[in-house]
Amino acid sequence: MGTAVVTTSADVAGIDELRVSFRRGDRDLHALRGVSLTIRRGEILGLVGESGSGKSVLGYSLLGLLPRGAQVYGGVRVAGIDMVHGSAPALDRVRRLDLGAVFQDPMTSLNPTMRIGAQVIEAAGSETEARRLLAAVGIPEPERRMRSYPHELSGGLRQRVMIAMAIAGEPELIVADEPTTALDVTVQAQVLALLLRIRDELGCGILMITHDLGVAAQISDRLAVLYAGRIAEIGPTTEVLAAPAHPYTRGLLRSRLTLTTRTDRPLAAMPGEVPSPAAPLPGCAFAPRCAHTGEQCSTSPPDPVPIAPERSSACILSPDALEESDPEVPGDNTTAPTEHPGAEGAITLRDITKTFTVRGMRRHTSLQALRRVSLTVGRGESVALVGESGCGKSTLLRVIAGLERPSGGTVDLADGQRPQMVFQDAGASLTPWMPVGELISERLRGSRLSRAERADRVEQALRRVGLTPEIATARARQLSGGQRQRVSLARATVVPPSVLLCDEPTSALDVSLAASVINLIGELRRSLDMSVVFVTHDLAVARVVADRIAVMYLGRIVEIGTADTILDDPAHPYTRALISSIPDPSHPPASPEGEPASPLSPPPGCAFHPRCPIAVSTCRDEELDVRLEGMPGRSHQVACIQTKVS
């Protein structure tokens, strides 16, 4: 028999002292180490924490989808059903009628060989109901979309399909596991608004699993902070964020970037990483990373202590004591933009176009990824490229790197040096069977250095990115995500490049790891006197890494200027829409209507006019260029008829 879970009529789910472990070889991996919480009807419970904290395992426990062989102790009940020890028919019934699930990547949940309509009908029971559900989640032209395959929809539309399937049975509980992580900020705002509306209309409970505190602050009523398989803190979201009671919560909040994050000092990254699930944790799991740790913290794990109505924290110190003893962030500047980037251009792009041929069954079509892009990046300058997926950011970066040949225009690099590139998925860009030392040493081939000299250069590169020389013998799969990204940076800079190209290098990292990588890129930029082109969809990241920000939409730069100017005084309606979409607990999610036009058939005139709230008839006929001849210095330029900037 499972442990009894104490719930009330207001609770849709209850978890009591849940422990989950997995056997790997001769070791037990402890994913959850004693978690207790409830989820109420009509509430959104945010579950936050770094990768490896056990968030997804908790979600799968509620869904009754833990893998065979998992060792489970404690109790999990959903709609009165025991999800640990219940019979297979009972679990199937509760999943069908009382549970809905929305996962991070819809493509792993949707069948790529089936049309959308057939998959939604399976959940909805009829074609009419499937059409109604697709319309209910805001999918335009639902009848036409039902005939589409998953790959023919955008990421935002695929996620809406998943939400439609999740609410088909009007569930009591929806488990949403990082449903916005892979989405642009504008689409993220739409999905968050949709989840709020569904909660209000159905009165269901929602478990919102996310590593983004901004998303949690925007959508959740209560917040549970999970660390190393234990609840560090839980309480009403506004109270937890206003006065965090656990050092880990405080560290997450300090690490999070916002549009108001100071750029005159290093970002506040927490030291260390989440402990291995195989490691014994005799005391507080956070103690090795905590600035407030004492002798008692290493001997026994602290129990959650009530600190206010509906609030508890698993820390021996009171919130007031934590506030008084918080360490100060050092004042040295490693992330702030440079005051005077070099006047000479390190990169000069003139009228770059890039067209891909998309091969269909009956005919081939042209996809215009870049349309007359001109840009100059000065020596030592950092420029961020921002915009939604499909706007051409990564294609432009690959053109600069020489990985794609432009269809038109010219790319001029100072001194003929080839830039080095750091990719979003460091694991995929590192050869899995080669030791780290060999991966880095590859770039030294042909340098006429002796083996000892190459080994010394590899060690220097590793130390420069904050890794020990012992890492040289490890393989990529043995490293954490943050370590893999540091190895990528060591590899890119072992021969110091004049230009470093960064393609979303922090988007897959937790907030603290992202902060440490951003600090590192700033340090490398200054110590090696590099120019940086940084692709990101996160405007808060762009603000701390860049001197200037170039906003791209459908293959064009629509606005460019200093980071402060773009974010404090945006001139283009699209830039304003991106900024208003950033999660903010002070106002509801906002995003432009509709989705970006297809690069297969861009609209005439200004490509943004179908979504623009200030568009006039002229916008359908005329498209302005942002043309940057030579080094533009600090000019602010915008491609908008309504808001021209000199």
Side-chain angles (χ1 to χ4, degrees):
M1 296 294 291
T3 305
V5 179
V6 180
T7 59
T8 70
S9 59
D11 298 326
V12 67
I15 295 175
D16 185 50
E17 279 300 309
L18 180 64
R19 300 173 184 272
V20 178
S21 60
F22 306 93
R23 191 72 176 172
R24 293 291 183 270
D26 59 350
R27 301 187 303 169
D28 285 326
L29 306 183
H30 302 278
L32 297 176
R33 301 177 187 248
V35 173
S36 297
L37 56 79
T38 59
I39 303 172
R40 300 162 187 159
R41 286 181 172 81
E43 86 160 346
I44 299 178
L45 176 66
L47 184 66
V48 301
E50 294 167 287
S51 297
S53 290
K55 304 187 301 294
S56 293
V57 172
L58 193 148
Y60 283 118
S61 300
L62 284 166
L63 294 168
L65 294 177
L66 289 172
R68 187 173 298 176
Q71 303 168 57
V72 185
Y73 306 94
V76 181
R77 285 188 176 271
V78 175
I81 300 298
D82 186 337
M83 303 302 292
V84 176
H85 303 95
S87 66
L91 295 182
D92 287 343
R93 186 169 62 252
V94 75
R95 289 194 202 102
R96 187 174 67 254
L97 300 177
D98 299 303
L99 275 168
V102 184
F103 298 106
Q104 177 176 343
D105 184 0
M107 285 300 283
T108 62
S109 304
L110 295 172
N111 187 330
T113 67
M114 289 177 64
R115 297 184 189 273
I116 291 298
Q119 298 186 61
V120 181
I121 288 169
E122 275 190 359
S126 71
E127 184 175 341
T128 301
E129 180 63 8
R131 244 190 329 266
R132 185 192 71 80
L133 286 170
L134 292 179
V137 298
I139 292 181
E141 302 178 89
E143 188 148 353
R144 181 171 70 86
R145 299 296 187 183
M146 288 179 70
R147 297 192 294 271
S148 302
Y149 289 96
H151 72 272
E152 297 176 304
L153 303 185
S154 68
L157 288 179
R158 286 196 293 265
Q159 200 59 286
R160 286 173 181 268
V161 170
M162 285 300 304
I163 294 173
M165 295 168 68
I167 65 173
E170 298 190 355
E172 297 269 344
L173 174 67
I174 295 175
V175 175
D177 189 0
E178 298 275 13
T180 63
T181 296
L183 302 179
D184 299 311
V185 64
T186 52
V187 181
Q188 173 179 273
Q190 295 169 0
V191 171
L192 294 181
L194 175 59
L195 288 172
L196 284 167
R197 179 166 64 81
I198 286 169
R199 185 275 306 271
D200 293 340
E201 292 177 357
L202 298 184
C204 61
I206 297 178
L207 177 67
M208 181 70 178
I209 299 172
T210 179
H211 69 269
D212 189 330
L213 281 168
V215 168
Q218 178 85 73
I219 197 174
S220 61
D221 303 297
R222 284 192 303 144
L223 194 62
V225 182
L226 195 66
Y227 185 75
R230 293 179 181 140
I231 297 289
E233 179 172 0
I234 190 167
T237 299
T238 52
E239 295 180 22
V240 171
L241 297 181
H246 195 282
Y248 179 56
T249 313
R250 301 174 80 85
L252 289 177
L253 282 170
R254 280 197 300 267
S255 299
R256 180 177 176 256
L257 297 181
T258 70
L259 293 185
T260 59
T261 297
R262 292 180 60 173
T263 59
D264 62 345
R265 58 179 58 188
L267 302 179
M270 284 186 290
E273 295 179 344
V274 178
S276 165
L281 298 177
C284 173
F286 190 63
R289 306 172 70 184
C290 183
H292 313 277
T293 188
E295 185 177 346
Q296 184 179 344
C297 301
S298 61
T299 56
S300 60
D303 293 323
V305 176
I307 56 173
E310 297 194 326
R311 282 199 70 184
S312 65
S313 171
C315 182
I316 61 173
L317 295 179
S318 68
D320 289 341
L322 287 175
E323 186 74 38
E324 291 173 3
S325 60
D326 253 352
E328 289 189 11
V329 177
D332 288 342
N333 175 356
T334 59
T335 61
T338 55
E339 291 295 326
H340 303 288
E344 185 182 348
I347 307 169
T348 303
L349 309 177
R350 293 187 178 88
D351 289 324
I352 298 296
T353 63
K354 179 61 182 177
T355 301
F356 295 97
T357 299
V358 180
R359 302 181 186 279
M361 293 183 65
R362 296 185 178 179
R363 62 189 180 94
H364 297 169
T365 55
S366 295
L367 186 153
Q368 300 178 49
L370 297 173
R371 301 183 296 135
R372 303 190 310 279
V373 175
S374 295
L375 173 68
T376 299
V377 180
R379 286 185 180 274
E381 185 185 27
S382 176
V383 174
L385 304 177
V386 303
E388 295 167 298
S389 295
C391 71
K393 307 185 299 293
S394 294
T395 301
L396 185 60
L397 211 65
R398 292 175 67 84
V399 166
I400 297 172
L403 300 176
E404 295 284 356
R405 185 185 297 275
S407 305
T410 59
V411 179
D412 293 327
L413 301 174
D415 304 327
Q417 293 193 36
R418 185 173 179 176
Q420 287 300 310
M421 195 157 174
V422 178
F423 297 92
Q424 176 178 351
D425 185 353
S429 63
L430 299 174
T431 308
W433 58 83
M434 289 179 66
V436 163
E438 288 185 25
L439 286 169
I440 298 172
S441 182
E442 268 192 325
R443 290 214 54 234
L444 298 171
R445 286 182 181 173
S447 61
R448 297 183 180 178
L449 296 173
S450 68
R451 180 176 296 182
E453 289 171 326
R454 287 200 301 270
D456 185 55
R457 291 282 293 274
V458 168
E459 180 177 332
Q460 290 176 28
L462 288 170
R463 290 189 185 280
R464 191 161 51 223
V465 299
L467 296 174
T468 62
E470 290 73 27
I471 289 286
T473 60
R475 287 169 172 75
R477 67 176 181 275
Q478 298 171 300
L479 306 180
S480 68
Q483 288 174 320
R484 285 196 292 267
Q485 200 58 281
R486 286 173 179 266
V487 168
S488 293
L489 285 165
R491 189 169 189 259
T493 58
V494 66
V495 177
S498 58
V499 178
L500 185 67
L501 306 176
C502 301
D503 191 2
E504 299 270 16
T506 62
S507 64
L509 302 179
D510 297 313
V511 288
S512 184
L513 284 176
S516 67
V517 169
I518 289 169
N519 284 339
L520 175 58
I521 290 172
E523 293 163 6
L524 291 172
R525 174 188 165 194
R526 283 164 177 78
S527 64
L528 300 177
D529 193 26
M530 298 184 302
S531 301
V532 174
V533 183
F534 196 105
V535 164
T536 180
H537 66 269
D538 189 328
L539 287 167
V541 170
R543 180 175 175 271
V544 298
V545 302
D547 302 304
R548 287 187 297 144
I549 295 175
V551 182
M552 295 189 68
Y553 186 78
L554 208 66
R556 293 169 63 84
I557 293 176
V558 297
E559 185 170 5
I560 187 168
T562 66
D564 286 342
T565 299
I566 293 295
L567 297 175
D568 295 340
D569 188 24
H572 197 283
Y574 177 58
T575 309
R576 292 198 285 268
L578 290 177
I579 293 171
S580 67
S581 299
I582 296 172
D584 187 335
S586 65
H587 61 72
S591 64
E593 293 295 325
E595 301 214 356
S598 170
L600 290 169
S601 55
C606 172
F608 188 63
H609 85 259
R611 307 169 73 191
C612 182
I614 62 171
V616 294
S617 59
T618 313
C619 300
R620 298 177 178 85
D621 305 317
E622 183 179 352
E623 183 171 40
L624 297 186
D625 278 335
V626 169
R627 299 189 64 83
L628 306 176
E629 300 296 345
M631 185 63 197
R634 294 316 208 178
S635 62
H636 180 197
Q637 297 181 314
V638 59
C640 181
I641 293 170
Q642 294 283 70
T643 53
K644 295 182 182 179
V645 176
S646 59

